[in-house]
Amino acid sequence: MQYVTESTRKAAYRWLTNLQESEIRRLRVVFSHSPSYADLTPYQYDQGLVWLRSLGLVTPQGTAAVAVRARDLSDAEAAVSRVLAKRDLEARKATGESGERALLELLRESRAQDVFHAAAESDSYGYDIAATVAGRRLHIECKATTDARQLTVYLSRNEFETMRMDPLWILVAVLVGEDGQARQVVTVDRAWLRAAAPADTTGDVRWESARFRVPSQMMAPGIMAGSERVLAHHGQEAAGLRVWGRSRDLALLS
């Protein structure tokens, strides 16, 4: 997601609150000449308006697309946050589906048998793909990302409980390229996942989703069944490039 500076955000919130009662042309004059708004430059106000338009919060006609309390910056911030959260969820869903398709393609190219795309049928399985790879039956939870800097995965409670109870369950992370292909594939250490999961503090309260930042030493290249690598994946990266904190040259030797 594109980085947005704090000044752009502040300008956007001011636009959104003031557009409830005024129009863009008049507000440009107010923002440029009123001492109350002099902490930001005209360029920063322009960037704030451009950002709001990109989020669909200002219409092509120049009116606010959502209702917020006039001059209430916290209400404007909340409205922007809702849109960003929805976009983030949609982007993660699209990336996840791309990762599953890329992994299914790899499995079929490797002549895996009895490949079943469980996630296409239901979320209740607790894993995304079932397949027999090099004679080993696996239930694969696929987590996909486009970020090569840090591997962050989210596990639902159902996925976590399936991991605890199902000896065939593994977590495979896929780095998805712009072409939708798998640029890197690793298996995350399942014992580490169990140890890193949050604890339920009381019998009446339990977590339903958890975020894990995976250390580079807790991932192994390719698809692993226990200590056996059943599918190697050399990716599409240039030699020496670091993905998720791992040197590709070293990863292929591990």
Side-chain angles (χ1 to χ4, degrees):
M1 186 177 294
Q2 181 182 5
Y3 175 72
V4 178
T5 65
E6 186 60 33
S7 60
T8 298
R9 290 176 181 272
K10 182 185 290 187
Y13 304 150
R14 288 177 180 175
W15 277 112
L16 200 54
T17 57
N18 284 279
L19 278 172
Q20 305 297 315
E21 300 176 336
S22 191
E23 60 181 13
I24 288 178
R25 184 167 52 183
R26 180 176 180 278
L27 288 175
R28 287 191 190 279
V29 175
V30 172
F31 291 157
S32 298
H33 296 88
S34 172
S36 301
Y37 299 107
D39 56 327
L40 299 179
T41 67
Y43 173 77
Q44 290 169 329
Y45 282 112
D46 284 344
Q47 290 300 105
L49 184 58
V50 168
W51 186 47
L52 287 177
R53 290 187 187 277
S54 73
L55 296 176
L57 290 173
V58 171
T59 69
Q61 294 74 34
T63 60
V66 294
V68 300
R69 290 185 291 273
R71 306 188 185 283
D72 188 335
L73 295 183
S74 63
D75 199 28
E77 183 175 0
V80 171
S81 295
R82 286 193 295 271
V83 172
L84 292 176
K86 181 180 178 183
R87 286 198 168 193
D88 181 59
L89 183 61
E90 291 171 347
R92 282 170 49 192
K93 184 175 184 292
T95 299
E97 290 172 350
S98 295
E100 289 174 20
R101 287 194 297 269
L103 187 55
L104 284 165
E105 182 178 341
L106 288 175
L107 290 169
R108 287 162 180 153
E109 288 176 353
S110 71
R111 298 185 179 180
Q113 298 177 324
D114 303 320
V115 177
F116 169 55
H117 191 188
E121 182 176 296
S122 172
D123 292 332
S124 63
Y125 287 93
Y127 57 85
D128 297 311
I129 300 168
T132 300
V133 188
R136 300 289 295 271
R137 191 63 179 168
L138 299 173
H139 293 161
I140 303 170
E141 176 61 31
C142 176
K143 298 298 182 183
T145 180
T146 58
D147 187 354
R149 298 165 299 174
Q150 170 68 49
L151 177 57
T152 301
V153 299
Y154 296 81
L155 278 186
S156 70
R157 188 60 182 246
N158 182 46
E159 292 162 352
F160 179 76
E161 294 299 338
T162 302
M163 175 187 70
R164 290 181 61 244
M165 304 300 294
D166 183 356
L168 304 182
W169 191 99
I170 62 172
L171 191 151
V172 173
V174 179
L175 177 64
V176 180
E178 293 182 359
D179 57 0
Q181 299 298 305
R183 296 169 63 188
Q184 184 69 284
V185 174
V186 299
T187 302
V188 177
D189 186 274
R190 125 183 220 152
W192 175 82
L193 281 171
R194 292 188 65 164
D200 295 324
T201 54
T202 71
D204 297 326
V205 179
R206 67 179 229 157
W207 63 270
E208 290 299 328
S209 179
R211 176 177 179 269
F212 298 79
R213 294 189 65 177
V214 185
S216 58
Q217 64 270 27
M218 294 303 168
M219 50 182 101
I223 296 181
M224 305 290 293
S227 60
E228 178 186 357
R229 182 172 291 106
V230 295
L231 192 155
H233 180 262
H234 295 169
Q236 303 171 353
E237 302 293 351
L241 184 69
R242 294 181 69 82
V243 174
W244 300 327
R246 299 178 63 95
S247 165
R248 177 175 176 265
D249 291 339
L250 293 176
L252 295 179
L253 297 174
S254 63

